[in-house]
Amino acid sequence: DILMTQSPSSLSASVGDRVTITCRASQYISTYLNWYQQKAGKAPKILISGISSLQSGVPSRFSGSESGTDFTLTIASVEPEDVATYYCQQSYSSPFTFGPGTTVDLK
Amino acid sequence: QITLKESGPTLVKPTQTLTLTCTVSGFSLSNSGVGVGWIRQPPGEAPEWLALIYWDDDKRFSTSLKSRLTITKDTSKNQVVLTMTHMDPVDTATYFCVHRQLGAKVRGIITQNWFDPWGQGIQVTVSA
């Protein structure tokens, strides 16, 4: 199975801060890396697919990128509504594993 | 508009078999490329992918749970059914039904796929 890791596990940010979340896969996953946002009591929602493709309706302050073996989710300027847990997920091969999540809250 | 809705018991006893039904709308389970899966999420934990069934009846399962899982589809009823045997309290979780979305082809190759949308989820508690 492909193991997905994320760092940090949690972070506190001020409104307007730039936030970066990193995800790493234990094996090659090509472009099959997705990011989901989950707010309290809700189902996860797709933010970014294929490393960097922003889903329709997702604010442009969210972006995804790749650097070597690391994948990154960036929030350019945090807003109060971004308080949530963020998960990466690989869709390269079954089983389609998720990372452990990064919880973002406000200072 | 694609929607999925989970149904089934919210309380099961240890050793029992859990049967969950996902009723879908907005697409056909027989359309080429379609995939519908199940993901669960224990309280305070990350989502855990369980199983996926494709339009051609191909199936994929979680490595650790494969021996306990069955997934089937009924195209005429627009339903996907997941069964999990030998339920244990550690299986207490919210179970989500998900639609697998495919990205556009790039030079003939699909380079993205993701889960969207998700059903609202059904909370299943395993307790005597």
Side-chain angles (χ1 to χ4, degrees):
Chain A
D1 296 6
I2 297 175
L3 176 66
M4 306 299 291
T5 56
Q6 283 182 240
S7 62
S9 58
S10 65
L11 65 91
S12 292
S14 299
V15 173
D17 280 355
R18 182 182 181 87
V19 162
T20 299
I21 299 169
T22 299
C23 173
R24 181 174 293 180
S26 64
Q27 301 175 32
Y28 174 74
I29 59 170
S30 185
T31 60
Y32 296 88
L33 187 283
N34 305 314
W35 290 98
Y36 298 84
Q37 175 193 64
Q38 186 175 31
K39 297 186 177 180
K42 301 291 187 182
K45 167 193 162 187
I46 184 72
L47 286 180
I48 290 171
S49 60
I51 300 177
S52 59
S53 297
L54 203 65
Q55 290 290 306
S56 174
V58 175
S60 59
R61 61 181 178 274
F62 291 92
S63 65
S65 63
E66 175 189 19
S67 176
T69 59
D70 289 348
F71 301 92
T72 301
L73 173 69
T74 299
I75 309 175
S77 178
V78 168
E79 296 289 340
E81 58 265 34
D82 300 335
V83 169
T85 302
Y86 295 85
Y87 298 98
C88 62
Q89 178 247 336
Q90 65 84 15
S91 55
Y92 179 70
S93 68
S94 173
F96 304 110
T97 41
F98 287 82
T102 297
T103 299
V104 175
D105 62 21
L106 292 181
K107 286 180 182 174
Chain B
Q1 178 193 6
I2 292 174
T3 64
L4 308 97
K5 186 170 184 179
E6 305 88 351
S7 59
T10 57
L11 178 65
V12 297
K13 298 183 187 307
T15 75
Q16 287 186 336
T17 294
L18 173 69
T19 299
L20 295 175
T21 299
C22 175
T23 302
V24 309
S25 64
F27 68 101
S28 170
L29 294 170
S30 61
N31 284 356
S32 179
V34 163
V36 172
W38 289 90
I39 293 169
R40 72 178 180 180
Q41 187 171 29
E45 298 185 26
E48 177 185 17
W49 177 81
L50 300 176
L52 189 70
I53 188 165
Y54 295 97
W55 80 100
D56 59 0
D57 219 39
D58 192 15
K59 300 165 188 177
R60 296 287 184 268
F61 294 99
S62 159
T63 304
S64 61
L65 295 169
K66 185 173 184 176
S67 64
R68 299 172 53 203
L69 294 175
T70 304
I71 190 169
T72 60
K73 62 179 172 64
D74 186 329
T75 302
S76 65
K77 293 182 179 179
N78 295 319
Q79 292 180 335
V80 172
V81 176
L82 179 79
T83 61
M84 181 180 293
T85 60
H86 304 105
M87 293 293 284
D88 182 271
V90 300
D91 297 314
T92 293
T94 299
Y95 287 73
F96 296 99
C97 180
V98 295
H99 170 263
R100 188 204 60 168
Q101 184 69 47
L102 295 176
K105 288 186 178 180
V106 176
R107 291 187 289 275
I109 300 172
I110 293 174
T111 58
Q112 313 177 18
N113 67 83
W114 60 94
F115 297 124
D116 180 59
W118 296 49
Q120 64 187 23
I122 182 169
Q123 286 192 315
V124 177
T125 300
V126 185
S127 175

